[in-house]
Amino acid sequence: MHFGYALRRAQIAAFDAFASATAGHPITPPRYTALVILEANPGISQSALGEVLGTARSGAMMLTNWLVARGLAERRHRPEDARAWGLYLTRRGKTLLGTLKRRVLDHDQRFGAKLTPAERREFLRLLGKLAP
Amino acid sequence: MHFGYALRRAQIAAFDAFASATAGHPITPPRYTALVILEANPGISQSALGEVLGTARSGAMMLTNWLVARGLAERRHRPEDARAWGLYLTRRGKTLLGTLKRRVLDHDQRFGAKLTPAERREFLRLLGKLAP
DNA sequence: GCAAATTGTAATGCTCTATAACAATCCGAT
DNA sequence: ATCGGATTGTTATAGAGCATTACAATTTGC
């Protein structure tokens, strides 16, 4: 049995859990991750966001456009650097993220409930060794 | 820590191993999987191939077109059903798959070498519980 | 003060995939 | 035996996602 294959199967199952958690909202994993990053790093620039997400600047811009168009995030001028925007979650974005986080965490725990608590700890430890 | 997140990170690392193994060949995971399926199921139809791959019929056809254009697979008429083709690996396809399987398996084992043999067994067992 | 680097933006193209429509063929109920 | 429905392959089309490139505005370093 290949690790790559087994991992892919497990990730597909985990993605299904994510899709169930975000049903009704057009939220994809990158968009969800962007919301989490904006919450944890208020005022982050688009370039920095793209770097964290592992995508190009243009991709970060399209992602930001999407969030801004739906009123989930906003761009604010930064006094110390007129080139870069500072990105912030709006109240609506914070509210949506709060809801989604609860639902995603809930589905994630349900997904992990196929393992015993000891197995969960061990599994996460082994994942940490594989992808440091 | 979310399972989905940790799994995604590990799968990215495993994908890197796959990319190293197939460097120099324009082989993607779906194409590799298609070759494996064709080897194990000679004469399979395009629809069945698409179903196993979890993609639509049109996707299976473009995938098959790609394999046929490179001489890795061929379509043969089936006497019992004039609608469907039977798909087969060519000699060249079998040779390439043999080479790739060795290299992919080698890189997969190197990827798994970050764990001890006991950890490997345990990890695959837990993956099996998560994605039955 | 000026060259180089950084940031955001826009335009373009590529890849992958899904969807819908169509013809040919097979299947099953009558 | 026949006719309606299902299946298969095919084509065309569209859309999402992403990278690449080029450009203007701005900052930074020498």
Side-chain angles (χ1 to χ4, degrees):
Chain A
M1 183 53 143
H2 290 51
F3 279 88
Y5 206 72
L7 275 172
R8 180 170 146 72
R9 285 173 52 86
Q11 210 232 328
I12 289 174
F15 179 81
D16 286 345
F18 179 87
S20 298
T22 58
H25 300 280
I27 296 294
T28 60
R31 287 168 187 165
Y32 179 80
T33 307
L35 289 175
V36 172
I37 292 173
L38 259 57
E39 182 189 45
N41 305 276
I44 192 177
S45 72
Q46 285 183 185
S47 290
L49 175 63
E51 196 168 351
V52 175
L53 287 170
T55 180
R57 285 201 305 283
S58 59
M61 200 199 76
M62 284 189 289
L63 196 48
T64 304
N65 282 347
W66 192 90
L67 297 176
V68 170
R70 276 152 193 81
L72 304 176
E74 62 183 2
R75 295 177 167 99
R76 291 191 214 151
H77 284 293
R78 279 206 284 184
E80 72 274 16
D81 191 336
R83 295 173 303 179
W85 299 100
L87 301 180
Y88 298 87
L89 289 186
T90 60
R91 178 166 299 278
R92 193 172 162 200
K94 290 176 187 170
T95 303
L96 176 63
L97 179 57
T99 303
L100 290 181
K101 275 171 81 172
R102 276 192 300 276
R103 297 180 57 175
V104 167
L105 194 62
D106 184 59
H107 279 74
D108 196 76
Q109 284 175 349
R110 203 168 306 165
F111 174 73
K114 296 171 183 170
L115 307 181
T116 68
E119 286 175 337
R120 273 199 292 277
R121 278 194 305 275
E122 177 70 358
F123 184 70
L124 287 176
R125 186 182 74 82
L126 297 178
L127 276 176
K129 285 187 73 172
L130 284 173
Chain B
M1 182 54 144
H2 290 50
F3 280 88
Y5 213 74
L7 275 173
R8 181 171 145 70
R9 285 172 52 85
Q11 210 232 326
I12 288 174
F15 179 80
D16 286 344
F18 179 87
S20 299
T22 58
H25 299 280
I27 296 294
T28 60
R31 286 168 187 165
Y32 178 80
T33 306
L35 289 175
V36 172
I37 292 172
L38 258 58
E39 182 188 45
N41 304 276
I44 192 177
S45 72
Q46 285 183 188
S47 291
L49 175 62
E51 196 168 352
V52 175
L53 288 170
T55 182
R57 285 200 306 281
S58 59
M61 200 201 77
M62 283 187 288
L63 195 48
T64 305
N65 282 347
W66 191 91
L67 297 176
V68 170
R70 275 150 193 83
L72 303 176
E74 62 183 2
R75 295 178 168 97
R76 292 190 213 152
H77 284 293
R78 280 207 283 185
E80 72 273 18
D81 191 337
R83 295 173 303 177
W85 299 100
L87 301 180
Y88 298 87
L89 289 186
T90 60
R91 178 164 300 277
R92 195 172 160 199
K94 290 177 187 171
T95 303
L96 176 63
L97 179 58
T99 303
L100 290 180
K101 276 171 80 170
R102 277 192 300 276
R103 297 180 57 177
V104 167
L105 194 62
D106 184 58
H107 279 73
D108 196 76
Q109 285 175 346
R110 204 167 308 165
F111 174 73
K114 296 171 183 172
L115 306 181
T116 68
E119 286 176 335
R120 274 199 291 278
R121 277 194 306 276
E122 178 69 357
F123 185 70
L124 287 176
R125 185 183 74 82
L126 297 178
L127 277 176
K129 285 187 73 172
L130 284 173

